[in-house]
C-alpha cells in the first residue's frame, strides 16, 4: 500500500454517490436467493481451502522481491500470466504500463566521531544518490520542519523523529506517510543537504521502512532516507548529549523508463460476460522484503477467490476479473493505466475491490452502493457476517489501484483488513511469507469469493456511472 | 552469552561440591539479622532506582557495538573506567587480556538463477573470507550432516536447517549453538565449499544471529554463515522445488592479536576488604547490535547494584568487586584471564555471579553453597523471594566468565533470568537498548544488590576452596 490519499478521495466519492439523484426505487438491485445459498457454500469451501496461501507462497518464493522496473518485475509478470493459466482462468492477458524506473544500489550510514557506530537506514523511493557528512538537526514532527526558516539548515541533515501510531484501520499511516512524502521538500526549503526520518512504522526492529517520496517542483532533490526505529531512537539519545555528525551514502536514483504490464485474468460470466466484477492486488513490491503482506497476499487471495468461483458448476452472470496491478508502490501506475484504458467502460464494471492492506482478518465490509443498491449490499454483508465481518456502510474507500477507476465512476467495495500489525512489516525486509497466517488468509479468500460472486450475480447494478467530466476518454 | 558449556561444567562442580567432605557443622555460615534487615531496605531502594537502566543506556548509546578487538573495544574500556570512577567506586583498575582478533568487513548472499533474490546472512565469528557459488544441500540437523560421507559434498554448500526451540531457561540453545560450533567442521569433513545454517534464534525477523564458531584441528576452514530465520525458510521452500544455487561473499577473518582489558571496580569492605564478592557482566558485544541484552545489561545492572551497596551508610564486611569482562563472545578470554590471575586467591573470593542472559526478570536463585553454607544461602533466597524469585538449590551453573574461576574452586551463584525472548535478539542487529524493560532491569539490580550485600555480610564462607589440581598457579 502506498498512501492514504485514496481514503480521502473515497470520502468524496461516497458523499457524491450518496447525494446522487435517486431513480433508485425504480430499479432496485437485488441478489437472487439461489445465489445467496451458493455463496454461503462457497464461503465454507474457501475457508477450508489453502489455495490463496499457496499462490502467495509461489509468488513470494519463486519471484521474491519485485521492485517495479527491476529484473524481477518481468519475472513477476511472467509468473502471474502462467499462474492464471495454470489455475484455468478463461482468459488471460497483459496491458502495458510505462513508468520512470528507480533503482536502489547501495546505502549505508554511520555516526562519526567519538560515538562512531553504524545506523540502519534505507533510501526513500525516488531519492537521488549522494554522500553527505553533516551535523544532524532533529525535529519532532513535520510541522516543526516545515516551520524552519529558509536557509536555516544550510550544511545540515534534517531529521524528523516522528513516531507513527498503531491502529487497526491503519489511520496512523496518514501522518506517518506525510513525513515521508513531504519531509524531503521541507528539508530542501530549509536548506538541508540531506533528509532523515524515523521510519513510518510501528515495530522496534532494525528493519527500516522504505516507500516513495517526491520532491516539489523547482526544488533540487537531496538524498533522503528512513532510519530503522531503534536507530532513530539511538540518534535521538545521542543528540540529547550534544551535536552529532552523521555520514550517509546512498547510491540510488531514477534511470529512464520501463514498460511493465498489468496482468488480467477472467472467469467468464454465464449471462452478462461483458460486465465485470473487478478484484485484485498489486504485483510489484518494494525490494527490501519479498512483498508478502504488500501485496503478494492481495494477488494470491483474489486469484484464489476467482478460481474458486470458476470451480462452481455454474458461473455467476457476470465475469470475475482479477487484475494484478503493475507498480502501485511508486504512484499507482498500474491503477491509473487501467482506469485510462477502461474510462469508456465504467458501466461495464459492476463494482471493484482491491486487497492491499496485508493478510489480516477482514473485520468490516462497506461499499459505494447508492440507495438503489443498498439492499443488495446488505445481502452481501449478511453472507459475510459469519466470517466475523461487520457491515459498516459509508466507511472507508477503494483500494489504491481501484481509486483512479472509482474517480471515473466505477463503484467500489472495501473489505477492511485488520491492520494492527501491518505497519510492523510494511515496506521492510521483514515483509516475508512466514508472516502470513494461513487461517486469516483463507478468511480473506472466503470474503472476496462471497463478495465477488454475489456482486456478479445481482439483478441490477451497484451504481457505476461515468463521472462528470470523465477522465482519460477521447 | 556465548555457549552453554558452562552449564555442563557447573553440573559437575555442583555435584563435586555437594559431595565434599562436610566439616560443615563446625563452621556453619550465617548472615546476621541486621544485614538481613538492611538488605530488605536495599532491595526496595534498588527497585525504585533507574541507575542500572541509565548505565546500560550510557554504554549502548555512547559506545554502541563493541566487537572485541575493534576500535570500539578501547572506547568501551575507557567508558567502563570512567563510569566506575564517576559512580564513586573506591578502586578502579584494568587487567590486560590478549586474544586473536577477528574482523567482519562485508557479507552478502543471493540465490542465483531463475529465482534470483538476496538472502540475509551474517558470517559466523571465526569464519574465513571467501566467495562461493554452489548448489546447496540441506540437512535437517547436525546429526544428519555429521553422518554425510566424506567427500559427498564436494563443490556444494552444506546447509543445516535446524529450528531452535524457545525456552525460559534457554535450554534450546544447547542444540542450537552446537549447529554453529560443530556444523562447519562437519561440512568440511564431507567436502563442502561453504557452510550455511538457519540462525540459532527463536525470532522471525530478517536479522541473522552471529556467534563464534571453530574449526577442528587439521581442517581447512571454509566460509561459514548463518541465515536469518525467514531466509532459511525461503531457502527450504526453494529447495523443495529443485536444485538451488547460492552465491555467498564473506569478507572477514582473523588478523593478529589484540590486547584489551578486564575493567574492575571495587566498593571496599568494612571489615574484610581483602575478601571479595564478585559480580559482573561482559563488556564486549557482537558487532551487529549494540549489545544491550548481551551484555550491556549485565554490566549496567551489576555496576548499579554495587553502587547502591556503596551508598549505604555502612559497607558490608567484604568488598564488592564488579568485573566488566573482556571478550567473552569469542572464547571467555576475559573470564579465563581473570581466573588465571587470581588462581592463588580462590578463598579470597567469597562467591561470584555473572549476569549474562539478558535483562528479563530473575525467577530463580541457586548457588554452589556446600552443606555448611546452605542456611546462609536460604537466608539470601528469603530476601530475594519478594522479587518473585524462587529458591532452586542444585540447579544451573555459573555465568560464562565466572566458569573458569569456578573451575579453580570459587563458589558461584546463579540468578536465573527469564530468557523466553532472549534468543529473539541474541547476537543480532536487534540487540538494542529499546528492547530492555526498565522495571525488569530494576528487579535484576535489586536481586544482585541483595545477593552481593548478604554474601559480603555473612559470618563464614560459601565454600570457595582451591580445586585439585589448581589451574594457572605457579
Amino acid at each position: 500500500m502506498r498512501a492514504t490519499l485514496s481514503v480521502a478521495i473515497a470520502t468524496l466519492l461516497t458523499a457524491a454517490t450518496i447525494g446522487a439523484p435517486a431513480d433508485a426505487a425504480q430499479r432496485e438491485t437485488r441478489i437472487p436467493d439461489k445465489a445467496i445459498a451458493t455463496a454461503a457454500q462457497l464461503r465454507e469451501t474457501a475457508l477450508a481451502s489453502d489455495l490463496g496461501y499457496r499462490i502467495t507462497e509461489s509468488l513470494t518464493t519463486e519471484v521474491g522481491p519485485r521492485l517495479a522496473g527491476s529484473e524481477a518485475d518481468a519475472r513477476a509478470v511472467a509468473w502471474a500470466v502462467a499462474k492464471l493459466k495454470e489455475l484455468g482462468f478463461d482468459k488471460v492477458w497483459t496491458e502495458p504500463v510505462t513508468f520512470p524506473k528507480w533503482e536502489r544500489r547501495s546505502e549505508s550510514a554511520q555516526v562519526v566521531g567519538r560515538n562512531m557506530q553504524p545506523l540502519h537506514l534505507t533510501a526513500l523511493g525516488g531519492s537521488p544518490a549522494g554522500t553527505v557528512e553533516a551535523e544532524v538537526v532533529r525535529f519532532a514532527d513535520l510541522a516543526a520542519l516545515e516551520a524552519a526558516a529558509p536557509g536555516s539548515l544550510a550544511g545540515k541533515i534534517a531529521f524528523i523523529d516522528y513516531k507513527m501510531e498503531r491502529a487497526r484501520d491503519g489511520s496512523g499511516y496518514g501522518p506517518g506517510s506525510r513525513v515521508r512524502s513531504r519531509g524531503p521538500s521541507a528539508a530542501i526549503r530549509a536548506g538541508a543537504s540531506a533528509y532523515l526520518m524515523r521510519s513510518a512504522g510501528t515495530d522496534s526492529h532494525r528493519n527500516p521502512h522504505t516507500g516513495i517520496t517526491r520532491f516539489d517542483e523547482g526544488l533540487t532533490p537531496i538524498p533522503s532516507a528512513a532510519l530503522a526505529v531503534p536507530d532513530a531512537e539511538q540518534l535521538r539519545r545521542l543528540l540529547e548529549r550534544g551535536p552529532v555528525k552523521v555520514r550517509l551514502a546512498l547510491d540510488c536514483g531514477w534511470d529512464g523508463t520501463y514498460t511493465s504490464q498489468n496482468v488480467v485474468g477472467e472467469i467468464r460470466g454465464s449471462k452478462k460476460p461483458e460486465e465485470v466484477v473487478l478484484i485484485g492486488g498489486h504485483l510489484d513490491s518494494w525490494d527490501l522484503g519479498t512483498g508478502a503482506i504488500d501485496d503478494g497476499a492481495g494477488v494470491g487471495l483474489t486469484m484464489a477467490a476467482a478460481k474458486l468461483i470458476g470451480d462452481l458448476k455454474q458461473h455467476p452472470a457476470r465475469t470475475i476479473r482479477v487484475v494484478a496491478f503493475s507498480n502501485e508502490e511508486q504512484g499507482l501506475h498500474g491503477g491509473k493505466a487501467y482506469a485510462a484504458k477502461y474510462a469508456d467502460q465504467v458501466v461495464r464494471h459492476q463494482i471493484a475491490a482491491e486487497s492491499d492492506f496485508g493478510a489480516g482478518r477482514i473485520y468490516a465490509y462497506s461499499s459505494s452502493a447508492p440507495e438503489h443498491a443498498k439492499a443488495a449490499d446488505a445481502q452481501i454483508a449478511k453472507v459475510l457476517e459469519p466470517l466475523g465481518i461487520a457491515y459498516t456502510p459509508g466507511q472507508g474507500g477503494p483500494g489504491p489501484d481501484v481509486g483512479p477507476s472509482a474517480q471515473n465512476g466505477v463503484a467500489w467495495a472495501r473489505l477492511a483488513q485488520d491492520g494492527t500489525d501491518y505497519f510492523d512489516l510494511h515496506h521492510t525486509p521483514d515483509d516475508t511469507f512466514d508472516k502470513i497466517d494461513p487461517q486469516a488468509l483463507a478468511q480473506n479468500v472466503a470474503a472476496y469469493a462471497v463478495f465477488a460472486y454475489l456482486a456478479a450475480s445481482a439483478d441490477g447494478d451497484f451504481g457505476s456511472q461515468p463521472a462528470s467530466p470523465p477522465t482519460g476518454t477521447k
Side-chain angles (χ1 to χ4, degrees), chain A residues 169-352:
Chain A
D169 66 356
S171 53
Y173 190 53
S177 65
R178 275 195 291 281
V179 171
R180 195 180 72 221
S181 57
R182 286 168 45 183
S185 292
I188 296 167
R189 287 199 179 86
S193 306
Y195 174 74
L196 286 176
M197 64 180 280
R198 176 180 165 128
S199 281
T202 50
D203 63 302
S204 59
H205 298 291
R206 296 298 284 286
N207 291 310
H209 298 239
T210 189
I212 197 74
T213 190
R214 58 187 175 74
F215 298 92
D216 292 347
E217 282 286 322
L219 301 180
T220 302
I222 57 174
S224 299
L227 290 162
V229 167
D231 296 81
E233 296 187 355
Q234 183 82 333
L235 184 53
R236 173 182 55 70
R237 284 190 294 267
L238 285 166
L239 285 163
E240 285 166 2
R241 288 162 159 84
V244 177
K245 201 174 263 196
V246 164
R247 181 181 193 276
L248 63 89
L250 307 183
D251 185 11
C252 54
W254 297 106
D255 181 22
T257 60
Y258 181 87
T259 297
S260 181
Q261 309 285 327
N262 285 336
V263 181
V264 190
E266 286 189 348
I267 301 295
R268 190 176 167 82
S270 56
K271 292 174 189 146
K272 298 179 170 180
E274 74 288 356
E275 295 188 16
V276 304
V277 170
L278 187 162
I279 57 177
H282 66 83
L283 189 54
D284 67 309
S285 78
W286 281 105
D287 51 334
L288 303 178
T290 62
I293 63 150
D294 188 13
D295 184 30
V299 170
L301 75 91
T302 54
M303 280 189 182
K307 156 70 174 167
L308 293 175
I309 293 170
D311 285 349
L312 295 172
K313 268 176 289 187
Q314 167 110 37
H315 285 190
R318 294 177 189 79
T319 290
I320 310 295
R321 176 179 289 179
V322 174
V323 184
F325 291 98
S326 173
N327 197 348
E328 185 269 351
E329 294 293 0
Q330 298 173 23
L332 312 181
H333 293 285
K336 286 175 184 167
Y338 183 92
K341 182 175 175 72
Y342 295 99
D344 60 355
Q345 297 185 28
V346 166
V347 295
R348 287 196 182 174
H349 286 75
Q350 173 79 337
I351 193 164

